[in-house]
Amino acid sequence: MSDHIPMRVAVVGATGFQGGATARLLAECGHRVRTLSRKPEEDRPKLPGVSVASGDLGRQEDVRQLFADATHAAVTMPLVYEAEKVMRYAQHIAKAARDSKVHRIVYNANTRVPRGTTNIAAFETRRLVETVLREGLAESGVELVVVRPPVYLDNLFSPWNGPALVDEGVLAYPLPADVPTAWISHRDLAQALYAALRADGVAGRTFDIGGAQSLTGPQLAEQFARGLGRPVRYTALEPHVFEQGLAQIVGPRTAGGVAGIYHFMASGVEPGLMAGDGGGSARELGFTAAAVDEWVTRQPWQMWSGRTAESAGTA
């Protein structure tokens, strides 16, 4: 599809970090973007050029209105891990897409998905959405492309990582030190979704996208050291410690869902799950992810200097 033909894009999840990056990029590139939010207007993130309507994925009529007149859709599900609720959201999206006859949906699964089924809700609810969309859109003429990212660099530019990185040179994260991970930024994820909305010959495909390199924990620390211009060492955080800290910010249910990914990776069942594919997906979709050290260099790390994780989180 030509870059010069404006799309009308329904973006599901634009008030979250991943969906927000996608909505902003689409608007910057001159496309019409619309989303839903349950939050009061004063609590919504700033989304220049994006039309935000009050609504809920749990109400079919709200989703129908979101998709009305849309030519494309980018879907990132909220951090909800209750199978029944997630399935209902996906069914509403599939029906709205069929009824409005959008050309293509790109579904961001939030994470990679293991080959076999697991007891991890963060994986299985995302697998469920993919299944519901594929079945719900079958023979409808609506194309589906699935993008499965690994882990986000933006997780490290945060109140619970930034101060230790800047003041102590410690990079702590709940992945085993020897697990290769193709870290990607939210901005590069948005670039991948944008590419998937426009690329020819990718309908029906699933892409395990990733960053420019697969890095172990110590290799990630080396990239951060290069970007920050100071020594950095990697520490593998225990998943249960990560979960306890996250629960104070997002609540125990959501924290348990997110942490399930890291408990799984710590088990060693599928150690290559978060690794890259040698750049194959990026080449097919036509996007280029930034190197980790380049991403690090661009972030305003000084904002975390002298701040404890607790004070940074409550500022």
Side-chain angles (χ1 to χ4, degrees), residues 215-274:
L215 303 170
T216 63
Q219 290 170 335
L220 178 67
E222 289 175 10
Q223 293 293 314
F224 267 77
R226 187 175 295 121
L228 291 171
R230 56 161 296 169
V232 175
R233 60 184 174 86
Y234 183 81
T235 298
L237 193 65
E238 292 292 334
H240 75 274
V241 174
F242 168 79
E243 182 176 349
Q244 290 170 357
L246 187 61
Q248 298 177 22
I249 300 170
V250 300
R253 177 174 291 182
T254 299
V258 173
I261 294 172
Y262 301 105
H263 286 290
F264 179 85
M265 295 307 299
S267 73
V269 172
E270 198 172 327
L273 180 63
M274 300 297 175

Side-chain angles (χ1 to χ4, degrees), residues 69 100 206 242 302:
D69 298 323
S100 61
T206 297
F242 168 79
Q302 65 275 10

Side-chain angles (χ1 to χ4, degrees), residues 34-39 44 51-56 65-66:
R34 185 165 53 197
T35 193
L36 287 179
S37 179
R38 294 187 303 172
K39 297 178 180 179
R44 297 170 186 168
S51 173
V52 184
S54 296
D56 192 317
Q65 291 183 6
L66 171 64

Side-chain angles (χ1 to χ4, degrees), residues 122-135:
F123 294 140
E124 300 312 316
T125 54
R126 275 45 192 170
R127 195 195 308 271
L128 174 62
V129 171
E130 184 175 336
T131 299
V132 170
L133 291 179
R134 288 198 186 280
E135 293 177 351

